[in-house]
Amino acid sequence: MTERTPLLHYRLSTSVNESAEQSPPPAGNTVEQDTASPRRRSTLNRQPQKLSTFFGVVIPTLLSMFSVVLFLRIGFVVGQCGLYQTIAMFLVAYIIISMTVLSVCAISTNGALDAGGAYYMISRALGPEFGGSIGIMFFLANVCGSALFVLGLVEAIVATFGIPEDGSVVNSYQVLPSGYWWSLLYGTAVALLCLLVCLVGAHIYAKATFLIFLVVMFVLGTIFISFFAVRPHAISLPGSATANPTANATGPGPPTVANFTGFKLDTLLGNLQADYTVDYTTGTMMTFATVFAVMFNGCTGIMAGSNMSGDLKSPSYSIPRGTITAVIFTFIIYNLLSLLVACSCDRILLQKDYSFLRDINVWNPFVTIGVYCSTLSAAMSNLIGASRILYALARDDLFGKVLSPAKRTSHSGNPWVSVLISWFLVQLVLFSGKLNTIASIVTIFFLLVYAAVDLACLALEWASAPNFRPTFRYFTWHTCVLGIVGCAIMMFLINAIYASASIAFMLLLLLLIHYLSPTSSWGYISQALIFHQVRKYLLMLDVRKDHVKFWRPQVLLMVSNPRSSVGLITFINDIKKSGLYVLGHVQLGDLDTLPSDPLQSQYDSWLSLVDHLNIKAFVNMTLSDSVRHGVQHLLFISGLGGMRPNTLVLGFYDDCLPQDKLVDSSLSMSRSTDPSSSSLDPEQQHPPFHFASLRGSGDRKDSGQFGDGKVLGPQEYVAVIADALKMLKNVALARYFNHFDRSQALFPPSSSPGKGAVYVDVWPVNLLRPDSCSYVDTCSLFLLQLACILNMVRAWRKARLRLFLCVEEGRSVRGTEEKLGQLLKELRIKANVYTVPWDQQVALHWQRQGGSGRKQPLDTQDDEGEEEEEMVEDNEDDYVNSFPSNTTRLSDEYLSAVNRLILEQARPPPAVRFLYLPRPPADTRRYTTYLRQLDLMTQGLGPTLLIHGVTPVITTDL
């Protein structure tokens, strides 16, 4: 078993193996066991051989960090900066990379690590978008880095064995022709050598790098010995260093020789302070920043071991120990070598001859061999690292079928296609010849990856997830922040333009992957961080500090079946105004009689519906013995802290049969637009909505408790409204929204009566109380606020508010209209006010009040309802004050007249109406009468909201 085996499978298989080892096999199975054992052994022998800590991490990291800097740039750094600043530079550089090393160690010891190294760490911590973009950049950085080292090796070979372009052969071993195409040929040969090693597999690569490591360590040993064994002598400076075009012809010429003095105090004192001069290879003046950038290139190989994570026996064990060992070893070697150079070499020698270590060595070719070997190992390390990153990217399917060929591996597990693709890209980069500009881009890409690793560790630490408990604990969020800041500073110090361009390129890749890649199952650190921050801010949201100026609707919409509620769900999403929006559902049942919670299996369908309708809503469901108790539960427990529903929205209780709006193929399931979705499981491609069929449909057998599939009676329905008002919740009843189509309502055809205009009608008067025409009470202002909020939504911004004011003859119509207009102006609500005379309707009401006619018996649903109605008539006088203004005496003629009045004013018809909802009667026996009156008043009005507000929501103060 490996550390990547799932824990449950590991435990089960371990226990089975243990039991198989402890119990002797039956006699009849002896032959089968013996015959199967060679097959099992052959299967084990075919498994790829994994690398240890030393071969898989320490050696690649050491060779990548040493590279050419060890042999060709130590003297340059000491000669320009002096010993003090050199040591300070190494301290700063290693502090920066050590912060990243600590983050790498923390992430790698927090769970099983697979192929991909830094990409795997970042993608699993920060998600596919960030991980994929960084992975592509890390892959390109390794490809370009491999080409850089190949060209560096070619230049070193041509400089030693090549025939100069002027044809002047100085030494007999200068036999190789030089030129662009010859250099390209040599580079291709070196790249092919690296390809062959990487194609055989990681094990051969480890052996090759081990041999190179032995050579480099031997050469390094000879360098240290040479400081003590070689006697002081003069060294001729290279011709390019002695050329000084700025010198006067009569003045003293530049020095042509410099001294290797051996260990002398005067030499050390002369090399302590900085002395920045012109670099003789580039002709540019050196500064602290430029020298630091050159030196820092030797510290950017810390990920070489992590890139081999898929080929290690135990990545979580090897990567921390191997990387830290390599970093400490290189830090000691760099500082020790700087000290020896400062004590024994003249400042002129350090500034004018970067290859002086070859001249002071006991045998000059040793250093040349060391340069060749370290450069070759760095090229191979970058090539195999790039192939492993590409293989991990392909296996994660972030780019669909584009990278699918890179998934192929050999029998030993070597991703040979990824190696070939990486080599091909390296070969393309070799055509560019000189890569001085790309060199700084590669370093910036590496630094960006290091910063991303620090960011991943920082996010995991800040998320405070219980499962983030790495065995490596020598890090804090301070080290992560320091690593991020250090990498960012170094990026802009090396080249600000390239750093900005690389960040922009990363963000572009991030957006592309976000919109094109399928959903991953790795877990998103953003969710953990959001949870952490939301919890903190919810605790800071104090309900005692609420103020009417900052009121916003927080809606609980009760949905019986989403199949018939699509129109209402989308409309309430418009009216919430950045407030809380909860879809509530009550399922009847008793948990005591059920084997499990039936709601758990329904959440996915509800959440898929929310995603498909593109609404910003939560889902809250409960199991209850009745709908009334379930709504009470949801009103009590929905929300957290200061984010609790303040408005309850219910569908209207009538006999209209619901229509299934999820039958249409465009709404039947959430379909991914990603072309790579075919690679997902069939269950994930088109998740259907597992909602029950609607009442009244042919495939539904139950008739419900109240007939026609209803599980809620009129008495209980009105009781739900009364309960919400007792709990100081605003209530809205939505009628005729089962036919509501948002797109048709907002964009009516130009041939319609309104010529394409959209209207929202508001009736702020209690139409069930014709003796009161007040429009400034809490409920009326609540209607105005909701209508204004709807008008503020971008989609409804072009809608026109029409405010209808009912007036009687004999009253000051003009004065009432002016007062209302002044109120709307103070409330900053733009609406057209229309006065509606309703004397005829009021006359019908007063005729009933005067007893001119007895009210006809109301049709109820059953005999029990008729008996209840008679009881209401008999005991009417006892409750005359409990039902405001004797609305029990309202006649059907009056209600029908009010209904016709509303319809007559709707020219052209509005998209939605807002009506005043009276409070339910205090006498529960009159609930049926109350509901029937609402039904008659709103008959055939189209999409209508009956609203009753209990809390002040409007203010004229600043």
Side-chain angles (χ1 to χ4, degrees):
M1 304 301 291
T2 66
E3 65 177 350
R4 286 180 288 276
T5 306
L7 183 60
L8 181 60
H9 181 261
Y10 173 79
R11 295 297 302 166
L12 291 176
S13 59
T14 303
S15 60
V16 170
N17 293 336
E18 290 175 353
S19 61
E21 292 174 359
Q22 293 173 1
S23 60
N29 296 339
T30 306
V31 177
E32 296 180 4
Q33 184 177 0
D34 292 338
T35 58
S37 57
R39 188 180 305 168
R40 187 182 299 112
R41 283 197 298 269
S42 64
T43 302
L44 293 175
N45 291 335
R46 285 200 301 269
Q47 291 181 353
Q49 192 171 1
K50 298 295 184 177
L51 303 178
S52 62
T53 303
F54 184 72
F55 287 97
V57 181
V58 176
I59 291 178
T61 306
L62 278 177
L63 293 178
S64 296
M65 294 187 71
F66 278 152
S67 64
V68 188
V69 175
L70 176 68
F71 302 106
L72 298 181
R73 289 295 179 264
I74 284 293
F76 164 76
V77 175
V78 176
Q80 297 287 344
C81 302
L83 183 60
Y84 288 156
Q85 290 192 14
T86 299
I87 295 177
M89 279 186 179
F90 279 117
L91 281 174
V92 172
Y94 271 81
I95 285 174
I96 293 174
I97 65 170
S98 296
M99 300 301 103
T100 303
V101 168
L102 296 180
S103 300
V104 170
C105 295
I107 298 177
S108 62
T109 59
N110 188 51
L113 201 61
D114 211 334
Y119 158 72
Y120 190 86
M121 299 178 192
I122 297 169
S123 62
R124 268 45 177 189
L126 297 181
E129 295 91 349
F130 214 101
S133 58
I134 290 293
I136 287 292
M137 298 183 70
F138 199 24
F139 167 71
L140 295 177
N142 277 276
V143 167
C144 295
S146 179
L148 275 172
F149 288 119
V150 168
L151 284 176
L153 178 58
V154 170
E155 290 179 2
I157 293 175
V158 171
T160 305
F161 300 101
I163 300 174
E165 294 183 359
D166 56 2
S168 59
V169 178
V170 179
N171 299 312
S172 59
Y173 50 78
Q174 292 180 330
V175 295
L176 295 178
S178 60
Y180 170 77
W181 293 107
W182 285 106
S183 297
L184 181 61
L185 177 63
Y186 303 149
T188 303
V190 174
L192 280 174
L193 176 63
C194 297
L195 172 66
L196 291 176
V197 174
C198 296
L199 276 179
V200 176
H203 191 62
I204 299 301
Y205 162 76
K207 290 182 178 179
T209 54
F210 178 65
L211 293 177
I212 294 175
F213 171 74
L214 292 179
V215 173
V216 171
M217 289 299 104
F218 175 76
V219 172
L220 187 60
T222 62
I223 290 175
F224 280 107
I225 293 173
S226 299
F227 284 109
F228 299 93
V230 176
R231 294 181 178 179
H233 62 280
I235 299 173
S236 298
L237 299 178
S240 58
T242 58
N244 188 6
T246 60
N248 297 327
T250 58
T256 57
V257 295
N259 296 318
F260 171 70
T261 63
F263 292 101
K264 283 189 176 181
L265 182 60
D266 293 339
T267 305
L268 175 62
L269 295 176
N271 289 328
L272 290 179
Q273 304 298 329
D275 182 18
Y276 294 103
T277 59
V278 177
D279 178 16
Y280 73 89
T281 60
T282 61
T284 57
M285 184 67 184
M286 293 292 99
T287 62
F288 180 86
T290 55
V291 176
F292 192 29
V294 172
M295 183 274 301
F296 195 79
N297 287 326
C299 306
T300 56
I302 58 174
M303 288 295 184
S306 302
N307 290 341
M308 302 297 295
S309 57
D311 301 292
L312 299 175
K313 291 179 181 177
S314 177
S316 297
Y317 176 87
S318 300
I319 290 177
R321 289 163 176 80
T323 306
I324 291 177
T325 301
V327 168
I328 293 175
F329 182 77
T330 55
F331 179 73
I332 294 174
I333 293 298
Y334 276 138
N335 282 278
L336 187 59
L337 195 58
S338 300
L339 178 63
L340 294 177
V341 166
C343 292
S344 59
C345 296
D346 192 3
R347 175 65 69 98
I348 297 177
L349 176 64
L350 299 179
Q351 292 178 344
K352 302 299 182 181
D353 187 4
Y354 297 156
S355 60
F356 73 98
L357 288 178
R358 180 186 58 193
D359 299 325
I360 66 173
N361 199 275
V362 291
W363 189 51
N364 293 355
F366 274 155
V367 174
T368 303
I369 294 172
V371 171
Y372 292 170
C373 290
S374 62
T375 310
L376 181 63
S377 68
M380 283 194 300
S381 174
N382 280 272
L383 179 60
I384 198 169
S387 66
R388 271 30 180 195
I389 297 167
L390 181 63
Y391 171 65
L393 284 167
R395 204 170 61 173
D396 287 338
D397 284 326
L398 293 183
F399 298 91
K401 297 181 180 179
V402 177
L403 298 180
S404 57
K407 298 180 186 178
R408 298 183 180 180
T409 60
S410 63
H411 293 294
S412 61
N414 185 35
W416 60 274
V417 177
S418 297
V419 175
L420 285 176
I421 295 175
S422 302
W423 166 80
F424 178 73
L425 294 177
V426 169
Q427 186 64 44
L428 289 180
V429 178
L430 289 178
F431 278 98
S432 63
K434 304 295 182 181
L435 292 180
N436 292 333
T437 56
I438 298 181
S440 57
I441 297 178
V442 171
T443 304
I444 289 173
F445 275 16
F446 277 120
L447 285 171
L448 198 59
V449 174
Y450 299 163
V453 173
D454 288 321
L455 180 62
C457 187
L458 177 67
L460 290 170
E461 178 70 10
W462 274 355
S464 301
N467 279 324
F468 182 63
R469 44 178 184 269
T471 56
F472 183 88
R473 294 300 306 170
Y474 301 102
F475 77 99
T476 64
W477 68 268
H478 304 86
T479 61
C480 301
V481 172
L482 189 59
I484 294 172
V485 173
C487 291
I489 292 175
M490 279 307 307
M491 285 170 55
F492 286 92
L493 195 63
I494 293 173
N495 194 307
I497 297 177
Y498 291 160
S500 303
S502 63
I503 294 175
F505 180 57
M506 181 197 71
L507 294 177
L508 177 63
L509 287 174
L510 191 147
L511 292 175
L512 288 176
I513 298 174
H514 176 73
Y515 288 106
L516 299 180
S517 68
T519 304
S520 70
S521 59
W522 308 334
Y524 291 83
I525 189 64
S526 59
Q527 296 298 306
L529 290 172
I530 290 171
F531 176 87
H532 188 70
Q533 293 300 110
V534 166
R535 181 193 63 86
K536 182 171 69 175
Y537 286 118
L538 274 176
L539 292 172
M540 298 171 60
L541 190 60
D542 193 348
V543 294
R544 296 168 295 183
K545 298 179 181 179
D546 283 346
H547 194 276
V548 65
K549 289 191 298 185
F550 308 111
W551 181 91
R552 66 184 70 234
Q554 305 195 75
V555 183
L556 170 62
L557 171 61
M558 298 305 303
V559 180
S560 175
N561 193 325
R563 293 188 178 277
S564 61
S565 306
V566 173
L568 180 57
I569 292 173
T570 54
F571 177 76
I572 299 300
N573 183 67
D574 287 338
I575 213 171
K576 69 180 187 305
K577 185 57 180 176
S578 304
L580 179 66
Y581 185 20
V582 181
L583 299 181
H585 175 70
V586 177
Q587 180 163 331
L588 299 182
D590 186 0
L591 198 58
D592 292 337
T593 61
L594 297 172
S596 62
D597 183 7
L599 301 178
Q600 296 300 322
S601 60
Q602 301 181 22
Y603 270 104
D604 287 342
S605 293
W606 283 84
L607 295 177
S608 298
L609 176 72
V610 169
D611 293 337
H612 176 72
L613 296 179
N614 195 24
I615 61 174
K616 299 176 181 178
F618 299 95
V619 176
N620 209 346
M621 296 188 289
T622 186
L623 189 69
S624 179
D625 57 348
S626 69
V627 175
R628 180 182 182 184
H629 290 164
V631 176
Q632 289 177 0
H633 296 168
L634 294 177
L635 286 174
F636 277 126
I637 67 173
S638 293
L640 284 174
M643 292 190 66
R644 291 185 178 276
N646 56 29
T647 303
L648 174 67
V649 180
L650 303 172
F652 196 80
Y653 190 93
D654 53 23
D655 294 328
C656 295
L657 286 178
Q659 293 185 357
D660 193 346
K661 295 298 183 179
L662 293 180
V663 173
D664 186 75
S665 59
S666 63
L667 295 174
S668 59
M669 54 189 67
S670 59
R671 295 176 295 183
S672 174
T673 58
D674 183 22
S676 65
S677 61
S678 58
S679 61
L680 299 176
D681 295 337
E683 296 181 358
Q684 296 179 349
Q685 290 184 20
H686 304 291
F689 297 130
H690 300 289
F691 299 125
S693 57
L694 296 171
R695 60 183 176 90
S697 59
D699 56 346
R700 178 158 173 162
K701 305 301 181 183
D702 62 312
S703 60
Q705 182 180 355
F706 298 91
D708 201 16
K710 292 183 179 180
V711 295
L712 181 68
Q715 190 78 11
E716 186 179 4
Y717 176 80
V718 181
V720 170
I721 301 174
D723 292 342
L725 295 177
K726 291 177 184 177
M727 300 167 67
L728 298 181
K729 306 295 184 183
N730 309 299
V731 177
L733 307 183
R735 190 172 193 186
Y736 296 121
F737 276 90
N738 51 340
H739 301 291
F740 180 78
D741 189 328
R742 185 172 181 267
S743 58
Q744 293 182 4
L746 292 174
F747 305 102
S750 57
S751 58
S752 62
K755 297 182 180 180
V758 181
Y759 295 96
V760 176
D761 287 0
V762 182
W763 294 76
V765 177
N766 185 357
L767 298 176
L768 296 189
R769 288 190 59 183
D771 56 332
S772 173
C773 58
S774 173
Y775 53 85
V776 291
D777 63 347
T778 301
C779 186
S780 299
L781 295 179
F782 187 82
L783 256 74
L784 291 174
Q785 180 77 323
L786 285 189
C788 179
I789 288 174
L790 181 65
N791 197 213
M792 292 169 66
V793 177
R794 179 178 299 176
W796 292 83
R797 197 164 291 168
K798 294 183 179 180
R800 304 175 187 175
L801 292 184
R802 297 189 300 191
L803 191 61
F804 294 96
L805 186 61
C806 298
V807 296
E808 300 179 45
E809 291 183 0
R811 298 200 177 191
S812 176
V813 177
R814 189 176 187 86
T816 305
E817 188 175 351
E818 289 178 355
K819 289 181 180 178
L820 183 58
Q822 183 64 27
L823 176 65
L824 294 176
K825 184 177 180 181
E826 292 178 357
L827 298 178
R828 291 90 60 201
I829 297 177
K830 186 177 180 181
N832 297 324
V833 181
Y834 297 90
T835 56
V836 180
W838 66 331
D839 297 84
Q840 297 178 0
Q841 291 76 15
V842 173
L844 292 174
H845 169 68
W846 290 118
Q847 290 174 9
R848 174 62 172 161
Q849 290 289 84
S852 60
R854 293 292 296 170
K855 182 172 60 174
Q856 300 296 325
L858 294 176
D859 296 332
T860 54
Q861 294 183 351
D862 49 22
D863 295 338
E864 181 182 349
E866 294 180 0
E867 296 175 0
E868 179 185 342
E869 188 65 30
E870 294 175 0
M871 186 183 300
V872 169
E873 292 291 337
D874 295 339
N875 300 323
E876 192 174 284
D877 295 334
D878 298 337
Y879 295 93
V880 69
N881 295 321
S882 60
F883 204 171
S885 188
N886 297 332
T887 49
T888 52
R889 300 179 181 270
L890 292 174
S891 64
D892 291 355
E893 293 83 357
Y894 168 76
L895 294 171
S896 299
V898 170
N899 177 261
R900 289 192 300 271
L901 176 69
I902 298 175
L903 287 173
E904 290 171 358
Q905 303 303 320
R907 295 292 183 271
V912 65
R913 288 181 175 88
F914 289 80
L915 299 185
Y916 191 114
L917 175 66
R919 293 183 68 95
D923 183 7
T924 58
R925 293 175 298 178
R926 297 175 179 167
Y927 280 178
T928 307
T929 305
Y930 169 79
L931 186 57
R932 187 172 183 278
Q933 292 171 355
L934 296 179
D935 177 59
L936 288 174
M937 184 178 67
T938 58
Q939 193 76 38
L941 292 185
T944 303
L945 276 184
L946 290 158
I947 302 171
H948 188 91
V950 296
T951 55
V953 295
I954 289 182
T955 180
T956 57
D957 298 335
L958 289 177

